[in-house]
Amino acid sequence: MRIVVDFDKCKSNALCMAEAPEVFEVREDNFLYILNENPGEELRPLVEEAIRACPTRAISILD
């Protein structure tokens, strides 16, 4: 799976980071960073929760 973020939509509110800190991080510069663009399948449930938590729907998965 590959994580895709539409950075034009992203507001860096860190809700994704709360759900999947192994994959997403909002740093002190208030920008979202994808720590692992191709996480293993074991992280899929956390990534899916991060997608649901995103209020701007900026995150998606490509299989």
Side-chain angles (χ1 to χ4, degrees):
M1 104 179 120
R2 190 175 79 127
I3 307 300
V4 178
V5 174
D6 182 340
F7 288 101
D8 291 330
K9 289 183 178 180
C10 180
K11 301 297 181 199
S12 299
N13 56 32
L15 294 175
C16 57
M17 185 174 83
E19 297 296 335
E22 302 89 344
V23 179
F24 304 102
E25 181 177 67
V26 176
R27 297 184 183 160
E28 290 182 13
D29 61 5
N30 288 323
F31 287 105
L32 173 67
Y33 293 85
I34 303 173
L35 302 176
N36 186 352
E37 194 171 294
N38 299 97
E41 283 298 316
E42 70 278 1
L43 292 176
R44 183 179 287 270
L46 297 177
V47 172
E48 289 174 346
E49 282 301 316
I51 290 170
R52 282 191 280 279
C54 181
T56 62
R57 303 292 178 242
I59 306 167
S60 59
I61 295 174
L62 291 179
D63 285 312

